[in-house]
Amino acid sequence: MKQISLILKLTIIFIINSLSVQSQCAQNNTLIGTVTPPCPGTSTTSCINGGQYINVNVVAGNEYTFSTCGNTAFDTQITIYNGATVIGYNDDGCGAQSTITWTATFTGVVSVLVDEYNCSNTGLCTDLDVTCSLPIQIGNGCNTNTTICTSGVAGPFGFSTPGTPVSSCLDFVGLSYAYVVLYVTQSGPLQMLIDGDASTGFLDVAIFDIPTNADPCTSIQDVNNEISCNYALTSGGCNEIGTFFGCGSTVPSPMVTAGDVLMIVVENWSNASTTFTLDLGPSPAAQTGPPPATINPAGPFCNTDAPFQLTSVTAGGTWSGTGVSSTGLFNPATSGIGTFTITHNSGSAPCTSSATSTVTVNNCSTCLINNFTANIGACQPNNTFPVTGTVLYSNAPATGTLVVEVTNASGTYTQTFNPPFVNGTTFNYNITNAISDGSASTVEVYFTADLACTQIMNFTSPAACSCAAEIGTFTADIIGVSNNNYVLCYGDVIDIQTNNDWTDPAIANSPPGPVYDPGVSWLIYSCPPTIGLVPTALQDVSDDPCLLGIVSDFDLNDMND
């Protein structure tokens, strides 16, 4: 147990909040550039005039200080804008100079205006410093969301309540603790400085190597996973592993390997410091990086499966996506059938990483066509026949389509139904354009998302019911005022004469049975016809927009003269 002497000192602190949200100068300055300050660190814009401004890229959660303090060129004013909205203003925060400290509430760009008092510009210039500080990372008890991934100094990290007592050298007697996870990206000796914000006090540290895919907070309870432990010898407000930083340590640096996951436990034995930073020695010493977030493959699942715990190469983190909870519990019954994108986020800002993976849920319920009927109609005048019927199913897939298909030698004719497919629903289908050709035929019903769920029936298509009767060719003339085809005036007469190639259908076709005498019709158009020029069974001349009417009841046998 450490022995320390206590010195009590009363300090009176006056806190002056210099941040105001009212502007003394309008947003009419001249832009001279854009800066992105390092974090932690400072970016300086030299010789900025009153009446000029810079844009600054900011990150949510980081603390930014905008300051002309220490410069005496002229009396300054600073105004910060987010678009047209004033988010900060200061005049005389440090003597005649100005300073604003602001924690970013969004990631984006702010405009920092510098003016001379009172909103004037005499051409004098000053330096504008923009300093960025990272948010204090902290977690109650043992936690895995506080990480270090930047080279050099990282933090600040805060102290909080302890978790379960661990290690071979820490006391755990009601003091405050911090837990930080490191992901090793370069093998080498671990040279680490733990530096408190106070220059006195004992800071103790224990380091654990976390087994693959193990929970860090569970692993540190096994002292066999401990690779280093340093009980501070002096009350200097710092501690270290190794001797690189000169903090008075005699504990050697352990060798670590790329891919190792380490848990650092810091004990604030004296409670003298409120925060601390971590610093790793330069290469060839061990280095760290963002936590890997790779998701371990899982599935495919059945829609009837129980919930499944997804895992990543990094324990902890948060999960998101269809059917998954924030802790990574995936429920196929919630997601439904299909393929879904799952995201896993590890670490905490600024040390974060993200990975995505897909999870497939198959329909493992047996799809069944319960009832399938087909009524085959007779050949129609346009040489087609209808097929009608019903489809009743159960446990249909949630995606894809339901297809009814009639196939014969002339082609395939379909009708398609879209989801949702609800058990007990009957679909009525009606396919009317199948060609009558007398061939062997089938009518089939199936789900495109589950081709095993199908039914098929065989039948013979009705025989063709159309025939051609070649009766010869004719010439039509208009007798009267007009001599042009398709122009008919009052009093005109249409004269239709055979071209001497007339053939009686009864003779030309020689059909058995009664005499073949179908009659003839003449079609009257207001413009050249577009339908029926090349006869097919599916064409209907009555659909021609130019057709005015039909004159019929002529007897072909009367056409001999």
Side-chain angles (χ1 to χ4, degrees), residues 420-446:
F421 302 122
V422 180
N423 284 341
T425 300
T426 298
F427 282 93
N428 298 297
Y429 68 90
N430 183 17
I431 297 174
T432 61
N433 60 342
I435 300 297
S436 299
D437 60 9
S439 66
S441 310
T442 60
V443 56
E444 181 179 9
V445 59
Y446 61 88

Side-chain angles (χ1 to χ4, degrees), residues 31 67 112 132 157 229 293 302 304 345-346 360 392 420 452 480 505 530 543 560:
L31 176 66
S67 174
V112 183
C132 178
F157 301 99
C229 201
C302 283
T304 55
N345 294 295
S346 296
T360 298
L392 178 64
T530 56
D543 293 331
N560 294 320

Side-chain angles (χ1 to χ4, degrees), residues 9 194-203 234-239 247 270-275:
K9 180 171 65 175
I194 300 93
D195 193 11
D197 60 351
S199 59
T200 61
F202 293 98
L203 294 176
T234 61
S235 178
C238 68
N239 198 346
C247 187
S270 306
N271 282 329
S273 291
T274 57
T275 65

Side-chain angles (χ1 to χ4, degrees), residues 451-498:
L451 296 180
C453 192
T454 184
Q455 288 284 350
I456 189 168
M457 283 189 260
N458 299 305
F459 69 97
T460 300
S461 293
C465 57
S466 64
C467 59
E470 298 293 339
I471 64 174
T473 61
F474 301 84
T475 298
D477 292 319
I478 300 176
I479 302 172
V481 176
S482 175
N483 294 317
N484 297 320
N485 287 337
Y486 311 114
V487 177
L488 187 65
C489 297
Y490 182 78
D492 288 348
V493 176
I494 299 176
D495 181 40
I496 302 174
Q497 296 290 334
T498 179

Side-chain angles (χ1 to χ4, degrees), residues 26-58:
Q27 192 179 14
N28 56 4
N29 295 23
T30 302
L31 176 66
I32 63 170
T34 300
V35 300
T36 303
C39 203
T42 299
S43 176
T44 299
T45 300
S46 300
C47 197
I48 183 172
N49 293 329
Q52 294 181 332
Y53 76 96
I54 61 172
N55 284 336
V56 180
N57 294 312
V58 298

Side-chain angles (χ1 to χ4, degrees), residues 39-40 61-62 133-141 143-150 153-160 177-181 183 274-278 291 346-352:
C39 203
N62 291 348
S133 300
L134 294 172
I136 296 176
Q137 301 183 52
I138 193 170
N140 289 328
N143 68 94
T144 59
N145 293 326
T146 304
T147 57
I148 170 176
C149 66
T150 55
V153 178
F157 301 99
F159 297 100
S160 188
Y177 290 77
Y179 301 80
V180 182
V181 177
Y183 301 93
T274 57
T275 65
F276 69 97
T277 57
L278 287 177
S346 296
S348 59
C351 299
T352 59

